Amino acid sequence: MTEVTYLEAIRTALADALREDERVFLLGEDIGAFGGAFGVTAGLLEEFGAERVLDTPIAEEGFVGASIGAAWMGERPVVELQFADFATCAFDMIVTVAAKTHWRSGQAVPIVIRCPTGGGVRGGPFHAGSLEGLFVGQPGLKVVCPGTVADAYGLLRAAIDDPDPVLFFEHKALYRRLRDTLPPAGHRVPIGPASVVRAGRDATVVTYGSGVSLALDASARVEAEVEILDLRTVWPLDEDAVLASLERTSRLLVLQEAARSTGAASLVLSLVARHGFELLDAPPALLAPPDTPVPFAPELEDAFLPSEESVVTALEELLAY
Amino acid sequence: MPTEPCAAIATVTRVERLALLRLILLQRVFEERALALYRQGRVPGSYYDGRGQEAVAAAAGLALADGDVVCPLNRELAVHFARGASVAEVFRNVLGRATGPTGGRDGNLHFGAPARGVFPLVSMLGDLVPVTVGAALAFRRRGEPRVALTFVGEGAFSVGDTHEGLTLAGVWRVPAVFVLQRNQFSYSTPLARQAVNPSLGERIFGGWSIPCETVDGTDAVWTFDAVRAAVERARTGLGPQAVEVVTLRIHGHAAHDDGAYVPAELRAAYADRDPIDRLALRLALDGVPDEELDALRSHVERDVAAGLAEAEADPPPDPSTLEDGVWAQPPRGKQSGVGGQTPPL
């Protein structure tokens, strides 16, 4: 079994999709000879050529829009935004055009928008954001946030197969930090279902993306059986999985890297308030950064981001209630 | 000033001239009917017509081949007819009927037809420029001799999406055609407050090196000849092309706007430039008998009346279907409800 990084799993998924389906092509800034700002597409231009790996001008609104037009003509474009933060530049195309087209016309828009997301790389306010919350709740979109190597591969393959617009938030801090077995070629992780990555009966951590490995590390240090539910798809939410876990544990911590009033937390907490109230033995807890942009200086960013320590503390408080 | 006939361009055949007149009449008669319905309170929302610009829509619609694709906007009803939409189909959308192309989910001309290569209008003008470029990119990548066309008014020419889309069109050298609708007003804002240089043709050539011919958009023959030439240049691999059409938007932005801000002298300049009169005069000079033109007009009027009756008899949409089709493939498991609906436990 080959062991790869999270980044290599994404690259392998792209290469496998390009190899298997001639409708698939990649477009984005500096993804060709340069291999992308993070090297995710390194080597793909050499293997697949300039018609499959297309460098674009700095025009996010333009090339996301062009991906919609190409999808309309039956192609399967996979867009790389250089940073997830740049999704704001393409917001109109994603929310106005891509998301609404099927509902109002029956025309499917099979595009994937890869968004290198998250902090921990000292990127500051414009290069370290977690913007998934802007898209959570938008009818017509699907939002996925892989937190493991296998999901990075399998969710990306599923996203490329999917007939709907999918935002794929791949975490920059996991690119080279996570290392695991590469799933078999062609492996798909269905869009929608959450996954119990650690079973337990004392408390549930609902999380996604960078929160998954953080929760795993933190829960190993707590004197309790902590269940960890990795949402994987944050929109639409797997409501059944959240409530089923809560039935087992009766205590909930929502952990996310997005600032506390954005991300997927509000959706989870709203669900639990409406339909999980009687399952709870303690008020649901939220561990998320404050409502500020992501700061630059290491001292500030470290204080901003959830840490293993802060997750342990939050779990202990939840368990002690 | 007497009406000046359309240009006598020999490469535009009599059959094509008659086809143009039929499309222009269809748009005119349909829109007059739709505006009357609006005033009677039978059209929800508002109604957006293209009075005075019908020749542009007819010309562009007719210039496209079957395999080509198009993103028409609100002033370009005749494009839908040229692509094969029926009068009833368009009325069903305008009236919000269950049987319409959007089933009441969108109104006006906000509908497309996947099988006919028409993308549904998006109100954020400029958005469809990159979409058009992307469709053309697919044709170029696959080596297909097909063309994608859209329309850009002087208002949409101020929008960043348009600039980005034109940049991509040039850099990728795609078979896209942009018909620049210089109709003097963006809602109530005159061209002089929309741009320093009022020539969209100079701007698209100077800024993006996209060749552009400027024509009188009230002259259907000239406009058709120019758009067809642009489409064929794009088809042969010469990269993106443009045609600037100069018109006056005779009505307001929509039915709720009387256009009182349009200066009288500008209105006077267009008083004798009705595209129907100009084309009818050309056809009369071509030797087409009056009776044939009258018959064409009567036929169109009958078609519009019949299409409206058909659409009005259709049922309204069923509210219980509201959440259907949000996704082409709904995700597995229960979904967090759109519109606050959550499946009961």
Side-chain angles (χ1 to χ4, degrees), chain B:
Chain B
M1 218 175 77
T3 297
E4 186 188 348
C6 289
I9 297 171
T11 48
V12 180
T13 66
R14 180 188 286 207
V15 170
E16 287 163 343
R17 294 175 193 200
L18 283 165
L20 287 167
L21 183 62
R22 182 182 156 275
L23 288 169
I24 294 170
L25 283 169
L26 264 175
Q27 177 165 348
R28 174 70 58 88
V29 174
F30 183 105
E31 290 182 342
E32 283 178 345
R33 200 75 197 88
L35 288 167
L37 291 171
Y38 169 78
R39 288 189 292 269
Q40 293 163 359
R42 289 151 78 188
V43 175
S46 193
Y47 188 76
Y48 301 74
D49 74 308
R51 178 83 165 208
Q53 299 174 243
E54 301 96 332
V56 179
L62 202 62
L64 294 170
D66 281 351
D68 296 339
V69 300
V70 60
C71 302
L73 307 177
N74 272 323
R75 316 290 177 209
E76 287 103 17
L77 170 58
V79 168
H80 289 280
F81 293 134
R83 300 303 290 182
S86 70
V87 169
E89 178 182 349
V90 184
F91 268 128
R92 287 185 192 111
N93 208 64
V94 170
L95 297 171
R97 292 297 195 261
T99 48
T102 66
R105 290 172 175 204
D106 209 341
N108 292 302
L109 300 191
H110 299 192
F111 68 96
R116 298 196 298 259
V118 181
F119 195 87
L121 188 161
V122 172
S123 289
M124 288 63 169
L125 298 180
D127 279 10
L128 294 180
V129 174
V131 172
T132 301
V133 170
L137 174 67
F139 301 152
R140 200 212 66 196
R141 292 182 63 245
R142 305 195 294 236
E144 296 173 352
R146 299 166 69 187
V147 172
L149 181 148
T150 194
F151 301 84
V152 184
E154 61 249 51
F157 215 103
S158 297
V159 176
D161 308 68
T162 300
H163 293 219
E164 294 192 11
L166 295 177
T167 297
L168 298 176
V171 170
W172 290 340
R173 207 173 159 80
V174 297
V177 175
F178 306 102
V179 177
L180 309 178
Q181 288 270 28
R182 179 171 159 189
N183 70 1
Q184 319 297 333
F185 285 87
S186 312
Y187 210 141
S188 73
T189 304
L191 181 48
R193 276 192 239 145
Q194 199 67 241
V196 174
N197 181 353
S199 167
L200 305 183
E202 282 183 21
R203 290 166 71 199
I204 201 167
F205 182 72
W208 289 275
S209 304
I210 295 175
C212 184
E213 183 181 354
T214 296
V215 303
D216 180 342
T218 66
D219 182 331
V221 175
W222 190 9
T223 305
F224 173 67
D225 189 56
V227 177
R228 180 167 63 178
V231 166
E232 295 316 315
R233 284 196 304 274
R235 197 185 307 286
T236 53
L238 294 175
Q241 306 289 322
V243 178
E244 178 187 29
V245 288
V246 182
T247 59
L248 175 66
R249 194 195 69 206
I250 300 293
H251 286 163
H253 175 59
H256 58 268
D257 168 19
D258 65 4
Y261 44 79
V262 177
E265 57 272 25
L266 189 54
R267 288 208 179 283
Y270 275 84
D272 295 310
R273 309 191 71 75
D274 186 89
I276 294 175
D277 294 346
R278 296 196 64 190
L279 182 53
L281 188 52
R282 167 49 52 208
L283 286 161
L285 293 170
D286 293 346
V288 176
D290 285 351
E291 302 77 59
E292 190 176 335
L293 298 182
D294 291 344
L296 181 61
R297 186 184 288 269
S298 308
H299 199 262
V300 163
E301 282 170 355
R302 275 200 310 276
D303 282 353
V304 170
L308 174 59
E310 202 183 314
E312 279 207 302
D314 281 353
D318 174 358
S320 74
T321 63
L322 189 57
E323 293 188 56
D324 296 347
V326 170
W327 289 279
Q329 182 179 296
R332 288 194 198 173
K334 279 186 184 166
Q335 297 159 18
S336 186
V338 175
Q341 299 293 312
T342 302
L345 290 173

Side-chain angles (χ1 to χ4, degrees), chain A residues 101-262:
Chain A
T101 295
H102 185 266
W103 178 80
R104 73 192 184 99
S105 76
Q107 172 69 53
V109 181
I111 62 172
V112 178
I113 302 175
R114 293 180 36 238
C115 306
T117 188
V121 293
R122 312 312 185 200
F126 307 124
H127 295 83
S130 294
L131 279 79
E132 63 277 8
L134 294 179
F135 304 101
V136 166
Q138 293 290 344
L141 297 181
K142 293 171 181 170
V143 182
V144 300
C145 301
T148 68
V149 169
D151 286 352
Y153 180 92
L155 280 171
L156 184 51
R157 294 303 308 271
I160 295 171
D161 291 344
D162 201 279
D164 291 305
V166 181
L167 287 130
F168 185 87
F169 284 88
E170 51 193 61
H171 203 288
K172 301 193 293 286
L174 303 183
Y175 271 155
R176 292 173 173 81
R177 186 198 298 160
L178 287 191
R179 189 171 261 288
D180 205 342
T181 307
L182 182 68
H187 173 68
R188 266 46 167 197
V189 173
I191 292 179
S195 156
V196 176
V197 294
R198 184 185 202 266
R201 57 182 185 184
D202 297 328
T204 295
V205 181
V206 170
T207 190
Y208 59 92
S210 62
V212 178
S213 47
L214 197 57
L216 280 167
D217 292 344
S219 57
R221 291 173 45 187
V222 176
E223 295 293 321
E225 290 182 31
V226 176
E227 178 151 305
I228 299 170
L229 185 70
D230 175 2
L231 291 175
R232 305 197 290 195
T233 297
V234 300
W235 173 251
L237 185 66
D238 185 348
E239 299 186 332
D240 285 355
V242 172
L243 295 171
S245 179
L246 209 48
E247 266 184 55
R248 290 189 287 272
T249 66
S250 302
R251 288 171 199 268
L252 172 66
L253 170 66
V254 181
L255 167 65
Q256 68 175 19
E257 189 182 317
R260 61 184 165 231
S261 300
T262 174

Side-chain angles (χ1 to χ4, degrees), chain A residues 54-75:
Chain A
L54 197 59
D55 275 325
T56 66
I58 301 174
E60 285 83 4
E61 189 96 56
F63 61 76
V64 171
S67 75
I68 295 167
W72 171 34
M73 290 299 105
E75 309 282 81

